[in-house]
């Protein structure tokens, strides 16, 4: 941006920005359950860095206000997708191993799908379901409770929803469901990783290069 020359200060992420809850095995955070029930916690907004001028926005995005491609500014060529696009390519895209990433993604998906038919996982889910039934709540698995249509409508969580969500998490803790499920799935993933070591090694190398470049940028 300075090369055009234009001033640009990126927005800052608030220090209290919470990470997105992992819902692979349903909800598991008691604090979020008590506050939001099965609803997702609101995504923290980034701190505003001031309104961009039309010129700043155009050079940053590579697009004019009407959506057309912007080619030059002050006689200088604007990178495709703007300075933001150029930065994304330099820091991430050029290091991506698409084929290897697809294998990693497939392992992630396949292990979860296979875990749904695993005997150990089935026993853990059954224990959780029986524990929930003690509270008068009938769910076959944590994936059913988190997808209950009574709790997935727009709006804020009701007192009933929050109470069910808290019971859900507490029963997971009592039965050790998350640890048992994760242990079974991790074993499946280790087997799949072993079978795909060569291609995953390429992904690991690409990620190391990406991190190395990021550290260099931060130092500079």
């Amino acid at each position: 941006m300075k090369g055009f020359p234009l001033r640009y200060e990126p927005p800052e992420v608030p220090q209290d920005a919470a990470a997105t809850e992992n819902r692979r095995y349903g909800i598991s955070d008691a604090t979020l359950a008590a506050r939001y029930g099965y609803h997702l916690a609101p995504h923290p907004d980034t701190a505003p860095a001031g309104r961009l001028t039309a010129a700043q926005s155009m050079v940053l995005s590579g697009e004019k206000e009407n959506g057309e491609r912007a080619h030059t500014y002050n006689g200088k060529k604007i990178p495709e997708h703007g300075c933001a696009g150029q930065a994304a390519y330099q820091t991430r895209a050029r290091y991506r191993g698409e084929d290897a990433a697809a294998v990693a993604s497939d392992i992630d998906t396949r292990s979860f799908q296979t875990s749904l038919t695993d005997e150990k996982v089935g026993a853990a889910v059954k224990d959780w379901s029986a524990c929930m039934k003690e509270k008068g709540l009938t769910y076959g698995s944590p994936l059913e409770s988190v997808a209950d249509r009574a709790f997935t409508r727009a709006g804020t969580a009701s007192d009933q929803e929050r109470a069910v969500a808290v019971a859900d998490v507490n029963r997971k803790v009592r039965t050790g469901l998350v640890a048992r499920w994760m242990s079974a799935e991790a074993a499946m993933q280790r087997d799949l990783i072993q079978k795909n070591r060569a291609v995953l090694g390429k992904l690991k190398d690409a990620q190391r290069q990406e991190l190395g470049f990021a550290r260099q940028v931060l130092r500079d």
Side-chain angles (χ1 to χ4, degrees):
M1 293 289 283
K2 288 181 180 177
F4 279 90
L6 292 168
R7 179 178 174 80
Y8 175 70
E9 293 293 335
E12 295 181 0
V13 177
Q15 291 185 355
D16 60 350
T20 303
E21 182 186 15
N22 188 316
R23 295 190 169 198
R24 194 173 187 87
Y25 311 127
I27 60 172
S28 57
D29 189 303
T31 300
L32 293 178
R35 187 170 182 181
Y36 302 107
Y38 288 98
H39 282 65
L40 292 172
H43 186 74
D45 294 326
T46 55
R51 291 180 61 86
L52 297 178
T53 65
Q56 287 174 319
S57 180
M58 181 178 70
V59 174
L60 186 66
S61 67
E63 291 186 356
K64 300 177 182 178
E65 291 182 335
N66 61 7
E68 293 181 359
R69 165 79 188 279
H71 295 280
T72 61
Y73 177 75
N74 273 350
K76 184 175 180 178
K77 183 179 179 180
I78 298 174
E80 187 175 3
H81 305 301
C83 289
Q86 184 183 64
Y89 172 77
Q90 288 180 332
T91 56
R92 299 199 64 184
R94 65 176 174 171
Y95 297 111
R96 286 180 182 171
E98 297 293 347
D99 293 341
V103 171
S105 179
D106 180 66
I107 289 174
D108 178 61
T109 301
R110 204 183 336 165
S111 64
F112 179 74
Q113 292 175 338
T114 303
S115 75
L116 296 175
T117 60
D118 183 79
E119 289 186 4
K120 293 180 181 179
V121 173
V125 169
K126 187 175 181 180
D127 289 345
W128 172 87
S129 182
C131 203
M132 288 286 279
K133 203 166 186 178
E134 294 175 3
K135 294 285 289 184
L137 302 168
T138 307
Y139 292 106
S141 85
L143 304 183
E144 289 182 10
S145 58
V146 79
D148 191 330
R149 298 190 69 176
F151 304 143
T152 55
R153 302 189 185 107
T156 57
S158 64
D159 290 340
Q160 178 191 6
E161 177 184 339
R162 287 192 290 269
V164 172
V166 169
D168 183 341
V169 175
N170 288 341
R171 267 60 193 171
K172 282 190 176 82
V173 174
R174 183 179 296 183
T175 60
L177 179 138
V178 173
R180 292 162 70 184
W181 196 336
M182 185 170 62
S183 176
E185 189 181 1
M188 299 171 193
Q189 290 181 344
R190 284 192 291 271
D191 181 59
L192 292 168
I193 289 170
Q194 184 65 26
K195 292 177 180 177
N196 294 276
R197 287 186 66 183
V199 67
L200 292 176
K202 295 178 181 179
L203 179 61
K204 188 175 183 178
D205 289 341
Q207 290 178 334
R208 282 176 172 168
Q209 292 177 39
E210 180 182 333
L211 286 171
F213 182 79
R215 293 190 181 102
Q216 179 184 331
V217 170
L218 291 175
R219 285 195 299 268
D220 295 344

